[in-house]
Amino acid sequence: MVSRRINHGLHDPEFNDVWIRSVTTLASLAHIGHDQLDIVRTQFGEAVALYFAFLASYTRSLFFIAVVGLICYFFRQPYSITYSSLLFLWSVVFVEYWRIRERLYAVTWGCRGAVRVEKHLPTFIEGRPWWQRELKILASLPVIALFASILAVLLTIIFIFEAFVTTLYTGPGHEYVSFAPTVLFTAVIPQFLAIYRNYAQKLTQWENHEHQSNFDASLTTKSFILSSLVSYSGMALSAFLYVPFGETVMNTVQHFLSLTSNSVSSLGSFSKVNSIIKKSGHALFESDANMAHAKLSSSRLQKEMFAYMVTNQASNLFMEVCLPFLMRAFVSLREGKLRPAQSSGSAATPKKKRVGFDDETPGAARNEREFLERVRREVSLPQYVLFEDYDEMVTQFGYVALWSTIWPLAPLMGVLNNIIEFPSDAFKIVTHFRHPIPTRSDTIGPWLDGLSLLAWVSALTNAALVYLFHPTAAFAVGLRVPLSSTTTVGSDPHHERRPTQMRDAVVRALFIALAASHGYIILRAAVRHVLERVLWIGSAEKARVDEATREVKERYFQSRQPTTEEHASLAVPPPEDPFWSFDEGIDEIRKGIKEM
């Protein structure tokens, strides 16, 4: 049993060892409950415990769609309508389920509404009206849109260069040119995102948020917009540009490259290159249109899904768990090489004498040195931030919900990754980062909004993918279907259709996607209505909230009830106002009545 000892300064090695062993089994992930999460909450705070609760709930929900995907992959047609419909339903159900689940956790942990008791940020400037912050947030939108537009252009250029230019290039070193887009992406995109995050940080500070949770939510939203654009733009361009209009784009790029190569060959400074090309009998770029069309990959979508769900997730695991060890080993090795040089220059300095005391316990100095060394080691570690872990899981949810119709085995790959992700995240926290500062939180914040947005977009993408690429639908609209890696362009009799027909097909797909988005609104309302009554109404947490609300109202009404003295004063009638008790003409009226 893991101890519940609280240690908010340094890592507790005993707790860490027991906790890591307890989460390294599949049974621990399948049966994680309030007790295990309460232990994590005691050690690291509600925010970290909520992340592990989300990871466990999300992984368990993946089992259902993974089984469906496995069955459809082997026994159904590609781009199955059944799988796409169940996938869309699963994404909506999971988002609404977690919306209620995090509310239950917040009530159980006693942190619901924690933001209302959160302290103000030191940078918060009081006295400013609320609408100034709203105007600043609106003013940030054009900046975000500018960065997003530039990023979209960069990603599109890299995509065209990778999908078409490197395919058409047949000149010297053509076997290595395929690595150029990866090198270009690695060199440009991370630097651009770093610049954007710097501006996003400054914009969020300028917005003058009152609490740290509001600041983090605003910064997370800004960061996730561009990170999701980087994650999903390749699949979107491949699905809605490369496959429907690949031949048209290939012809355009081929024509442009031929004009460029002709203009280059006319320059005298390139005479040596031209002579080498003429001797070899090869041009720089493919000039035969049929050969160029044959180089279009019919299984590009499946390869990209495999690249993310398998290759990228394995590399992320290595970067999170193994790379920090290698980096610290390299730093230690470098410092070890520098120490002899430094000590040789100070060999004449006398050795410091240690002062001891008679009542000193044997071994106390050694224990003190070990403790101080441990403190220095942990302080040198970076601070743990939840953004990267949430970003990884939400991005994976987006790949599954938006694009796994292309490759139904994607949810299964997600399950396998998350089974390893759970213990690796725990190991990462206790090994590669400082002890997290416990923070109270009752929600995963903007990540829930991101999940809702991805569930809505999944209605658009799944409807469009099924309409465009399902075998029967593709035969009707005349599009090329990427069934497998063995399918070639020439083997499909319907690939030579006019671009206008393809454009019409894409336009119809957009209208179908728009209709599916309205279906999402109806489905979400129905699912939320059912889950509220199944999970929330009648639960012990709901009863606890109602009881707390009733007690607050009772205390309020009791504070408004009059005291005993006030009751007594109300029982005695107020003194009569002399103004109303005196009438100047009453005596004359009485005399007149008697005389009559």
Side-chain angles (χ1 to χ4, degrees):
M1 182 67 181
V2 182
S3 64
R4 294 170 179 254
R5 182 172 49 192
I6 301 176
N7 184 6
H8 292 166
L10 299 175
H11 282 294
D12 184 353
E14 181 183 354
F15 168 82
N16 294 346
D17 293 340
V18 178
W19 184 43
I20 293 299
R21 287 197 298 268
S22 66
V23 298
T24 52
T25 61
L26 180 61
S28 64
L29 178 62
H31 299 91
I32 186 171
H34 286 287
D35 293 337
Q36 292 86 346
L37 293 174
D38 189 59
I39 295 170
V40 178
R41 180 179 67 90
T42 304
Q43 282 287 329
F44 305 118
E46 285 81 2
V48 176
L50 205 57
Y51 164 72
F52 282 100
F54 169 77
L55 177 58
S57 299
Y58 168 57
T59 304
R60 284 196 293 262
S61 70
L62 271 177
F63 278 98
F64 166 75
I65 198 64
V67 173
V68 175
L70 189 65
I71 295 172
C72 291
Y73 181 78
F74 289 104
F75 301 104
R76 304 289 294 181
Q77 288 181 323
Y79 301 95
S80 169
I81 299 176
T82 302
Y83 176 76
S84 179
S85 303
L86 291 176
L87 176 66
F88 172 53
L89 176 63
W90 167 83
S91 63
V92 176
V93 170
F94 169 71
V95 173
E96 297 305 319
Y97 166 79
W98 175 254
R99 191 185 304 275
I100 300 174
R101 195 66 189 168
E102 70 173 12
R103 192 191 311 164
L104 296 173
Y105 282 122
V107 175
T108 303
W109 295 338
C111 60
R112 192 182 185 200
V115 67
R116 290 195 291 268
V117 296
E118 193 175 349
K119 293 183 179 180
H120 290 176
L121 285 172
T123 57
F124 174 67
I125 302 175
E126 298 185 6
R128 294 186 176 181
W130 62 269
W131 51 266
Q132 283 191 2
R133 183 184 303 113
E134 301 299 325
L135 289 179
K136 289 181 178 180
I137 293 175
L138 290 177
S140 302
L141 295 180
V143 180
I144 299 173
L146 176 63
F147 275 95
S149 301
I150 296 174
L151 180 61
V153 171
L154 291 174
L155 292 172
T156 304
I157 293 173
I158 294 174
F159 175 83
I160 293 176
F161 182 68
E162 181 270 332
F164 300 102
V165 177
T166 58
T167 304
L168 293 172
Y169 181 76
T170 57
H174 62 275
E175 61 272 12
Y176 304 109
V177 175
S178 59
F179 298 103
T182 303
V183 175
L184 184 63
F185 182 92
T186 306
V188 175
I189 300 303
Q191 298 298 326
F192 182 84
L193 291 178
I195 296 173
Y196 169 75
R197 291 192 187 100
N198 186 25
Y199 278 95
Q201 184 86 14
K202 293 179 181 179
L203 285 173
T204 308
Q205 292 175 352
W206 176 62
E207 291 168 358
N208 190 33
H209 289 281
E210 185 175 0
H211 302 118
Q212 184 66 42
S213 58
N214 303 125
F215 180 90
D216 294 339
S218 179
L219 183 59
T220 298
T221 302
K222 295 182 179 68
S223 302
F224 183 68
I225 290 173
L226 263 69
S227 65
S228 60
L229 186 61
V230 174
S231 300
Y232 306 130
S233 61
M235 291 298 303
L237 290 171
S238 296
F240 305 120
L241 176 66
Y242 182 89
V243 175
F245 306 108
E247 296 177 3
T248 303
V249 177
M250 182 71 82
N251 292 334
T252 304
V253 174
Q254 193 174 20
H255 179 68
F256 173 78
L257 293 176
S258 63
L259 294 178
T260 304
S261 60
N262 291 334
S263 61
V264 169
S265 62
S266 63
L267 299 177
S269 58
F270 292 91
S271 58
K272 293 183 179 180
V273 177
N274 294 331
S275 62
I276 294 174
I277 294 173
K278 290 180 180 179
K279 289 180 181 179
S280 61
H282 295 285
L284 286 177
F285 299 98
E286 181 65 57
S287 58
D288 188 356
N290 293 327
M291 291 295 295
H293 294 168
K295 291 183 178 181
L296 291 173
S297 176
S298 59
S299 58
R300 179 182 179 86
L301 295 176
Q302 289 84 350
K303 290 179 180 178
E304 287 191 1
M305 283 296 296
F306 181 86
Y308 175 78
M309 296 303 298
V310 178
T311 308
N312 286 9
Q313 292 192 140
S315 63
N316 289 338
L317 180 63
F318 173 80
M319 297 284 288
E320 289 181 357
V321 179
C322 302
L323 186 60
F325 280 117
L326 299 178
M327 295 295 294
R328 288 204 294 269
F330 174 75
V331 172
S332 300
L333 181 62
R334 185 178 62 180
E335 292 179 352
K337 289 182 178 180
L338 292 177
R339 285 196 188 106
Q342 295 174 353
S343 61
S344 62
S346 60
T349 57
K351 187 178 180 180
K352 294 182 179 180
K353 294 183 179 180
R354 180 181 175 276
V355 179
F357 299 94
D358 295 335
D359 58 348
E360 186 176 359
T361 305
R366 180 170 55 83
N367 295 335
E368 182 180 357
R369 286 195 301 271
E370 292 177 354
F371 175 75
L372 293 177
E373 182 63 27
R374 175 188 166 196
V375 171
R376 296 188 189 97
R377 184 175 62 254
E378 293 194 15
V379 168
S380 65
L381 297 175
Q383 183 179 357
Y384 176 66
V385 181
L386 283 167
F387 175 84
E388 293 183 358
D389 290 332
Y390 272 123
D391 183 67
E392 182 181 358
M393 289 297 102
V394 173
T395 301
Q396 184 196 96
F397 171 83
Y399 270 98
V400 172
L402 272 63
W403 310 111
S404 66
T405 299
I406 299 169
W407 193 50
L409 294 182
L412 180 61
M413 298 299 106
V415 169
L416 298 178
N417 174 81
N418 294 355
I419 291 174
I420 304 174
E421 186 75 21
F422 197 92
S424 68
D425 283 345
F427 179 80
K428 177 182 66 176
I429 290 175
V430 302
T431 306
H432 300 316
F433 293 95
R434 294 198 298 265
H435 191 287
I437 299 175
T439 55
R440 308 202 75 189
S441 178
D442 60 348
T443 177
I444 62 175
W447 298 109
L448 182 57
D449 299 329
L451 291 171
S452 300
L453 177 63
L454 291 174
W456 171 70
V457 177
S458 70
L460 311 181
T461 58
N462 283 291
L465 289 172
V466 171
Y467 175 77
L468 290 174
F469 304 133
H470 189 268
T472 56
F475 180 84
V477 300
L479 289 177
R480 197 163 38 87
V481 185
L483 294 178
S484 65
S485 59
T486 59
T487 305
T488 60
V489 177
S491 62
D492 189 351
H494 302 282
H495 80 280
E496 293 181 353
R497 295 297 182 101
R498 290 180 299 176
T500 55
Q501 292 177 315
M502 297 182 181
R503 284 195 294 269
D504 293 341
V506 174
V507 170
R508 288 194 295 269
L510 291 176
F511 278 107
I512 292 175
L514 182 62
S517 68
H518 289 79
Y520 163 79
I521 298 174
I522 299 173
L523 178 62
R524 184 186 64 174
V527 170
R528 182 177 297 182
H529 178 80
V530 173
L531 291 181
E532 282 281 345
R533 278 146 184 78
V534 173
L535 299 176
W536 176 247
I537 297 179
S539 64
E541 289 81 4
K542 176 67 164 53
R544 188 182 305 178
V545 171
D546 293 341
E547 180 66 20
T549 304
R550 186 182 61 80
E551 291 178 358
V552 170
K553 291 180 180 180
E554 286 182 353
R555 286 197 298 267
Y556 173 76
F557 286 121
Q558 288 176 0
S559 66
R560 302 295 298 174
Q561 289 180 357
T563 60
T564 306
E565 292 77 6
E566 292 174 342
H567 272 295
S569 63
L570 291 175
V572 178
E576 211 174 299
D577 193 340
F579 175 80
W580 299 107
S581 61
F582 175 74
D583 189 350
E584 291 184 0
I586 188 66
D587 295 334
E588 288 79 2
I589 294 175
R590 289 174 179 172
K591 289 179 181 180
I593 293 174
K594 289 180 179 180
E595 292 176 358
M596 291 175 60

PDB file of all heavy atoms in Angstrom, residues 136-156:
ATOM      1  N   LYS A 136      -8.957  43.406 -25.033  1.00  0.00           N
ATOM      2  CA  LYS A 136      -7.578  42.957 -25.265  1.00  0.00           C
ATOM      3  C   LYS A 136      -7.560  41.546 -25.842  1.00  0.00           C
ATOM      4  O   LYS A 136      -6.718  41.226 -26.693  1.00  0.00           O
ATOM      5  CB  LYS A 136      -6.786  43.022 -23.959  1.00  0.00           C
ATOM      6  CG  LYS A 136      -6.480  44.438 -23.497  1.00  0.00           C
ATOM      7  CD  LYS A 136      -5.682  44.431 -22.206  1.00  0.00           C
ATOM      8  CE  LYS A 136      -5.340  45.859 -21.771  1.00  0.00           C
ATOM      9  NZ  LYS A 136      -4.566  45.875 -20.504  1.00  0.00           N
ATOM     10  N   ILE A 137      -8.457  40.696 -25.363  1.00  0.00           N
ATOM     11  CA  ILE A 137      -8.529  39.347 -25.915  1.00  0.00           C
ATOM     12  C   ILE A 137      -8.937  39.398 -27.387  1.00  0.00           C
ATOM     13  O   ILE A 137      -8.388  38.677 -28.230  1.00  0.00           O
ATOM     14  CB  ILE A 137      -9.517  38.492 -25.097  1.00  0.00           C
ATOM     15  CG1 ILE A 137      -8.968  38.266 -23.678  1.00  0.00           C
ATOM     16  CG2 ILE A 137      -9.772  37.147 -25.770  1.00  0.00           C
ATOM     17  CD1 ILE A 137      -9.927  37.546 -22.753  1.00  0.00           C
ATOM     18  N   LEU A 138      -9.897  40.273 -27.712  1.00  0.00           N
ATOM     19  CA  LEU A 138     -10.294  40.430 -29.120  1.00  0.00           C
ATOM     20  C   LEU A 138      -9.146  40.997 -29.947  1.00  0.00           C
ATOM     21  O   LEU A 138      -8.962  40.623 -31.112  1.00  0.00           O
ATOM     22  CB  LEU A 138     -11.513  41.344 -29.212  1.00  0.00           C
ATOM     23  CG  LEU A 138     -12.838  40.779 -28.691  1.00  0.00           C
ATOM     24  CD1 LEU A 138     -13.929  41.834 -28.774  1.00  0.00           C
ATOM     25  CD2 LEU A 138     -13.239  39.543 -29.477  1.00  0.00           C
ATOM     26  N   ALA A 139      -8.371  41.893 -29.354  1.00  0.00           N
ATOM     27  CA  ALA A 139      -7.229  42.454 -30.082  1.00  0.00           C
ATOM     28  C   ALA A 139      -6.143  41.418 -30.328  1.00  0.00           C
ATOM     29  O   ALA A 139      -5.332  41.572 -31.255  1.00  0.00           O
ATOM     30  CB  ALA A 139      -6.659  43.638 -29.306  1.00  0.00           C
ATOM     31  N   SER A 140      -6.111  40.362 -29.520  1.00  0.00           N
ATOM     32  CA  SER A 140      -5.122  39.299 -29.725  1.00  0.00           C
ATOM     33  C   SER A 140      -5.472  38.397 -30.901  1.00  0.00           C
ATOM     34  O   SER A 140      -4.587  37.736 -31.450  1.00  0.00           O
ATOM     35  CB  SER A 140      -4.998  38.449 -28.451  1.00  0.00           C
ATOM     36  OG  SER A 140      -4.633  39.241 -27.341  1.00  0.00           O
ATOM     37  N   LEU A 141      -6.748  38.360 -31.270  1.00  0.00           N
ATOM     38  CA  LEU A 141      -7.165  37.455 -32.342  1.00  0.00           C
ATOM     39  C   LEU A 141      -6.490  37.740 -33.681  1.00  0.00           C
ATOM     40  O   LEU A 141      -6.064  36.804 -34.364  1.00  0.00           O
ATOM     41  CB  LEU A 141      -8.689  37.499 -32.483  1.00  0.00           C
ATOM     42  CG  LEU A 141      -9.491  36.975 -31.279  1.00  0.00           C
ATOM     43  CD1 LEU A 141     -10.988  37.079 -31.556  1.00  0.00           C
ATOM     44  CD2 LEU A 141      -9.107  35.539 -30.960  1.00  0.00           C
ATOM     45  N   PRO A 142      -6.369  39.015 -34.117  1.00  0.00           N
ATOM     46  CA  PRO A 142      -5.651  39.235 -35.388  1.00  0.00           C
ATOM     47  C   PRO A 142      -4.201  38.778 -35.363  1.00  0.00           C
ATOM     48  O   PRO A 142      -3.685  38.294 -36.380  1.00  0.00           O
ATOM     49  CB  PRO A 142      -5.761  40.756 -35.586  1.00  0.00           C
ATOM     50  CG  PRO A 142      -6.947  41.166 -34.789  1.00  0.00           C
ATOM     51  CD  PRO A 142      -6.968  40.252 -33.610  1.00  0.00           C
ATOM     52  N   VAL A 143      -3.550  38.914 -34.208  1.00  0.00           N
ATOM     53  CA  VAL A 143      -2.161  38.452 -34.104  1.00  0.00           C
ATOM     54  C   VAL A 143      -2.093  36.936 -34.240  1.00  0.00           C
ATOM     55  O   VAL A 143      -1.249  36.397 -34.960  1.00  0.00           O
ATOM     56  CB  VAL A 143      -1.550  38.914 -32.768  1.00  0.00           C
ATOM     57  CG1 VAL A 143      -0.102  38.445 -32.647  1.00  0.00           C
ATOM     58  CG2 VAL A 143      -1.625  40.425 -32.633  1.00  0.00           C
ATOM     59  N   ILE A 144      -3.012  36.247 -33.556  1.00  0.00           N
ATOM     60  CA  ILE A 144      -3.046  34.789 -33.661  1.00  0.00           C
ATOM     61  C   ILE A 144      -3.376  34.363 -35.087  1.00  0.00           C
ATOM     62  O   ILE A 144      -2.772  33.422 -35.633  1.00  0.00           O
ATOM     63  CB  ILE A 144      -4.079  34.217 -32.669  1.00  0.00           C
ATOM     64  CG1 ILE A 144      -3.692  34.584 -31.235  1.00  0.00           C
ATOM     65  CG2 ILE A 144      -4.191  32.708 -32.807  1.00  0.00           C
ATOM     66  CD1 ILE A 144      -4.743  34.211 -30.206  1.00  0.00           C
ATOM     67  N   ALA A 145      -4.319  35.057 -35.714  1.00  0.00           N
ATOM     68  CA  ALA A 145      -4.683  34.728 -37.099  1.00  0.00           C
ATOM     69  C   ALA A 145      -3.512  34.958 -38.048  1.00  0.00           C
ATOM     70  O   ALA A 145      -3.306  34.188 -38.997  1.00  0.00           O
ATOM     71  CB  ALA A 145      -5.883  35.563 -37.529  1.00  0.00           C
ATOM     72  N   LEU A 146      -2.722  36.001 -37.808  1.00  0.00           N
ATOM     73  CA  LEU A 146      -1.556  36.266 -38.648  1.00  0.00           C
ATOM     74  C   LEU A 146      -0.537  35.136 -38.536  1.00  0.00           C
ATOM     75  O   LEU A 146      -0.041  34.619 -39.553  1.00  0.00           O
ATOM     76  CB  LEU A 146      -0.929  37.602 -38.258  1.00  0.00           C
ATOM     77  CG  LEU A 146       0.369  37.968 -38.988  1.00  0.00           C
ATOM     78  CD1 LEU A 146       0.125  38.111 -40.485  1.00  0.00           C
ATOM     79  CD2 LEU A 146       0.963  39.257 -38.402  1.00  0.00           C
ATOM     80  N   PHE A 147      -0.220  34.744 -37.312  1.00  0.00           N
ATOM     81  CA  PHE A 147       0.729  33.648 -37.122  1.00  0.00           C
ATOM     82  C   PHE A 147       0.182  32.348 -37.710  1.00  0.00           C
ATOM     83  O   PHE A 147       0.931  31.565 -38.311  1.00  0.00           O
ATOM     84  CB  PHE A 147       1.043  33.476 -35.637  1.00  0.00           C
ATOM     85  CG  PHE A 147       2.124  34.382 -35.128  1.00  0.00           C
ATOM     86  CD1 PHE A 147       1.826  35.592 -34.535  1.00  0.00           C
ATOM     87  CD2 PHE A 147       3.462  34.018 -35.233  1.00  0.00           C
ATOM     88  CE1 PHE A 147       2.817  36.433 -34.067  1.00  0.00           C
ATOM     89  CE2 PHE A 147       4.468  34.836 -34.770  1.00  0.00           C
ATOM     90  CZ  PHE A 147       4.141  36.059 -34.182  1.00  0.00           C
ATOM     91  N   ALA A 148      -1.112  32.097 -37.521  1.00  0.00           N
ATOM     92  CA  ALA A 148      -1.700  30.869 -38.062  1.00  0.00           C
ATOM     93  C   ALA A 148      -1.660  30.867 -39.589  1.00  0.00           C
ATOM     94  O   ALA A 148      -1.409  29.824 -40.210  1.00  0.00           O
ATOM     95  CB  ALA A 148      -3.140  30.724 -37.566  1.00  0.00           C
ATOM     96  N   SER A 149      -1.881  32.024 -40.203  1.00  0.00           N
ATOM     97  CA  SER A 149      -1.835  32.102 -41.672  1.00  0.00           C
ATOM     98  C   SER A 149      -0.421  31.849 -42.190  1.00  0.00           C
ATOM     99  O   SER A 149      -0.230  31.106 -43.166  1.00  0.00           O
ATOM    100  CB  SER A 149      -2.333  33.473 -42.133  1.00  0.00           C
ATOM    101  OG  SER A 149      -3.656  33.711 -41.688  1.00  0.00           O
ATOM    102  N   ILE A 150       0.561  32.464 -41.539  1.00  0.00           N
ATOM    103  CA  ILE A 150       1.952  32.251 -41.961  1.00  0.00           C
ATOM    104  C   ILE A 150       2.333  30.783 -41.787  1.00  0.00           C
ATOM    105  O   ILE A 150       2.978  30.178 -42.660  1.00  0.00           O
ATOM    106  CB  ILE A 150       2.893  33.165 -41.161  1.00  0.00           C
ATOM    107  CG1 ILE A 150       2.579  34.638 -41.465  1.00  0.00           C
ATOM    108  CG2 ILE A 150       4.353  32.862 -41.492  1.00  0.00           C
ATOM    109  CD1 ILE A 150       3.364  35.613 -40.612  1.00  0.00           C
ATOM    110  N   LEU A 151       1.929  30.192 -40.663  1.00  0.00           N
ATOM    111  CA  LEU A 151       2.231  28.789 -40.429  1.00  0.00           C
ATOM    112  C   LEU A 151       1.556  27.899 -41.464  1.00  0.00           C
ATOM    113  O   LEU A 151       2.165  26.922 -41.945  1.00  0.00           O
ATOM    114  CB  LEU A 151       1.793  28.394 -39.013  1.00  0.00           C
ATOM    115  CG  LEU A 151       2.048  26.946 -38.599  1.00  0.00           C
ATOM    116  CD1 LEU A 151       3.544  26.628 -38.631  1.00  0.00           C
ATOM    117  CD2 LEU A 151       1.469  26.663 -37.224  1.00  0.00           C
ATOM    118  N   ALA A 152       0.307  28.201 -41.808  1.00  0.00           N
ATOM    119  CA  ALA A 152      -0.393  27.401 -42.822  1.00  0.00           C
ATOM    120  C   ALA A 152       0.310  27.483 -44.172  1.00  0.00           C
ATOM    121  O   ALA A 152       0.429  26.468 -44.881  1.00  0.00           O
ATOM    122  CB  ALA A 152      -1.841  27.876 -42.942  1.00  0.00           C
ATOM    123  N   VAL A 153       0.797  28.658 -44.520  1.00  0.00           N
ATOM    124  CA  VAL A 153       1.528  28.802 -45.786  1.00  0.00           C
ATOM    125  C   VAL A 153       2.822  27.989 -45.751  1.00  0.00           C
ATOM    126  O   VAL A 153       3.169  27.290 -46.720  1.00  0.00           O
ATOM    127  CB  VAL A 153       1.808  30.290 -46.063  1.00  0.00           C
ATOM    128  CG1 VAL A 153       2.748  30.450 -47.251  1.00  0.00           C
ATOM    129  CG2 VAL A 153       0.511  31.041 -46.312  1.00  0.00           C
ATOM    130  N   LEU A 154       3.554  28.072 -44.646  1.00  0.00           N
ATOM    131  CA  LEU A 154       4.805  27.305 -44.524  1.00  0.00           C
ATOM    132  C   LEU A 154       4.543  25.806 -44.622  1.00  0.00           C
ATOM    133  O   LEU A 154       5.260  25.079 -45.330  1.00  0.00           O
ATOM    134  CB  LEU A 154       5.491  27.644 -43.205  1.00  0.00           C
ATOM    135  CG  LEU A 154       6.081  29.053 -43.062  1.00  0.00           C
ATOM    136  CD1 LEU A 154       6.596  29.263 -41.643  1.00  0.00           C
ATOM    137  CD2 LEU A 154       7.195  29.272 -44.067  1.00  0.00           C
ATOM    138  N   LEU A 155       3.519  25.339 -43.917  1.00  0.00           N
ATOM    139  CA  LEU A 155       3.208  23.906 -43.939  1.00  0.00           C
ATOM    140  C   LEU A 155       2.760  23.462 -45.331  1.00  0.00           C
ATOM    141  O   LEU A 155       3.102  22.351 -45.773  1.00  0.00           O
ATOM    142  CB  LEU A 155       2.130  23.601 -42.903  1.00  0.00           C
ATOM    143  CG  LEU A 155       2.534  23.758 -41.430  1.00  0.00           C
ATOM    144  CD1 LEU A 155       1.321  23.611 -40.531  1.00  0.00           C
ATOM    145  CD2 LEU A 155       3.597  22.742 -41.049  1.00  0.00           C
ATOM    146  N   THR A 156       2.017  24.309 -46.027  1.00  0.00           N
ATOM    147  CA  THR A 156       1.584  23.956 -47.384  1.00  0.00           C
ATOM    148  C   THR A 156       2.767  23.886 -48.344  1.00  0.00           C
ATOM    149  O   THR A 156       2.851  22.977 -49.181  1.00  0.00           O
ATOM    150  CB  THR A 156       0.552  24.976 -47.882  1.00  0.00           C
ATOM    151  OG1 THR A 156      -0.538  25.039 -46.956  1.00  0.00           O
ATOM    152  CG2 THR A 156       0.016  24.585 -49.253  1.00  0.00           C
TER     153      THR A 156
END
